[in-house]
Amino acid sequence: MGGGHLSNNAFTLVELLGVLIILAIISLITIPIIDNAIKNSREEAYKRTVENIITAARNYGTSNNLGYETVKRPLYISELQNEGFLSLDIKNPIDESDMTGCVWYYWDEGHKQYIFEYDSECELVETDPTINIVYNESLVNSNGWAKENVAVTLEGNGNIKYCMGTSACEPNEIVENGVNTKFITNEGTTYICAIASNTLGTTNKECINIKLDKTAPNIEGVEDLIVNKDVTVDLTNGVTYNDSLSGLDGTLTITPSSVDTSVIGTKQATYRVADKAGNVREVVRNIIVDAEAPTIVFSLADSNVINTNGWANKDFYVKASITDNSGTGIKSASSCVTNTSGECTPIATFSGTTKDSLISTEGNNRVCVQVTDNNNKTIKVCSDTYKLDKTAPVVGTATFTGTLGSNNWYTSDVTVNKANGSDVLSGHSSTTSSVSSITSNTSGTIITITTTDLAGNSASRNYAIKVDKNAPTLVAKSSNVEITEGESNVVSNYFTVSYGISGGSLSCSPTNTSVLSAGAQTLSCTATGGNGKKVTSTKQITVNMKQTILSIEYLGYDGTFDVDSTKTYMIIYFGDTPSEPKTATVVDSDTEEFGNGTAGKISTASYLNGKIILIQGKMCANRLFVINFNGESKKINSINYIGDYGTFDIDSNKIYFILKTSGSVNTDVESEIFLIENGKPIGWTGNESGHYIDGNQIYITGSSHYRLYSIEF
């Protein structure tokens, strides 16, 4: 390049001017900042110097008793320097002058500490303290009561302390940080006192009291009231009101003062009362006009069906009667019957206002009825417990005290002892006996035992009691008795017997004389009453030996026969012809006569000088027999021909014999005798050619060779 051009490394004027301007601007900005920084640094140094002075004062206070003065007192810089709490060359960092002045101190009672304040001039200038307690006076009414919280402002200068209480108090609370508004929130009377003071000890005190009642009066007894329609209601009945703090201001008012109860529904009344603080209590009370639920009453269709023991003994009806108390009518009704003493759930619906329920089950029974009216009032009522027992009790029994003889006859007085019966349902009520004792003879007194249960059912049982206290009487007849051995007589005929009402029987030993042997014998009889009592009597009789025929022996039919006077002879006439009588006679050896005059052809026989002479008649009709006895011969009254064939009754007390002959009466050997004594044959088998004996009859058939005779003595 040419020498006419400037070097690229040089500044232009403009550039230089720009630099100068920038430097000027920087100076304008930084110089004030630097000055302020220096100033602030000095002020901070001053503050630290003041803090050091206050610290020195605190240290002085720690080492020395400053007291607890609430009035400000000075502590000079020189005194702190002289006491060694502060250096002697302490300077003011701002102007490098010596630090002078003092530190004011006082006791802060509220915070329980000393307050230290540096004062470079150390001149105490105080104004008189003032205090004024300010609040909204409109909150307190003419009765002197407020009804809401009251804000109280403490206005004044100086140190302010205050106190609050239920009575006048000495202020001891310091108002801090400029907070000087207090609130009265506690009900009752609150005192607030404040005092203002300066460092010189001058004070100013003021007290006020404010009565606060924020609670409305109390009204009690105004719960909802349910009344029946058409009932006069006293709205004040049971209602009380009070105010325990400010007191009542006036009386209780009720609006409206009365209610109409003629119509069912809910009515309202307002109760109002105020206190002296102006609090008002209002309560709205509901008066519910209602009707009672329907009334259900139970009764018995038969009022006498339940006895005094509370039991019935037959089916019965219980009537439920319903009364509608609302006047709105019955909406529904139902019933039930339970066989317990508890309740049941009515499910059987019915209409109308009455219901008859049948009680037919034994035991406890109840009827329950539930009714709802059109006022939607429902009531369930159960009857009393009805007790039914239809079953008769178990009848009691009787036992008898007395002497029991035979055949259920008592032989003494009888006492009746009854035992109670029982009943498992209603229980036993009584057991009675129709007779308590029997003292007379009776053929059958009926004793009735009756048991009755508590329901009135009864059952009976009968006992027949027979009493015969007498024994039979038995007396032997007084006449002498002489009989023949084997003679048949009933022994009881020899005695006279009588019995009591129980009757009796007679037993004798022996029962018949036929069993007695010859000689003196004793008859004994015992009479036994139906009651078992016995009596015995005896009688002596004579039994003569019985004359018994041992045999009848055939002697012959013609000639002269020797006669033994100790024996008895018999002549039987056979007859000249078969049709002639077959008679027989007895030869009396004492009189030498024949026994009867009807012997027919027997007259051809004669008796002479102890001999019997037989003259043979036609066919040798007369035949001679000797009768041999077991002892001395006995006189025979008669011998009777009965018959030669047929069936004949025989007497067991008589002796019979059968004479057997052949067709030729001239043959001796065919005269054969068979004896029948006591109904029995002697020497006969009982069946001879078709002839036989059967009990009390004898049978002879088809032949005249067999002839039946009887002998009577």
Side-chain angles (χ1 to χ4, degrees), residues 601-672:
K601 297 301 178 79
I602 200 109
S603 59
T604 59
S606 62
Y607 194 99
L608 179 63
N609 296 325
K611 294 180 184 290
I612 293 176
I613 300 171
L614 287 181
I615 300 173
Q616 182 180 359
K618 186 179 181 180
M619 297 183 69
C620 299
N622 293 308
R623 299 189 182 188
L624 178 63
F625 296 84
V626 62
I627 301 175
N628 299 314
F629 290 91
N630 61 338
E632 294 182 357
S633 297
K634 185 177 181 182
K635 184 175 179 63
I636 296 175
N637 290 329
S638 64
I639 297 174
N640 301 300
Y641 169 68
I642 296 176
D644 52 16
Y645 62 89
T647 300
F648 306 97
D649 292 329
I650 58 176
D651 186 350
S652 61
N653 292 318
K654 295 181 180 181
I655 296 176
Y656 297 84
F657 66 89
I658 297 173
L659 177 63
K660 177 183 179 184
T661 65
S662 64
S664 173
V665 296
N666 295 316
T667 305
D668 292 342
V669 296
E670 292 187 0
S671 295
E672 189 175 354

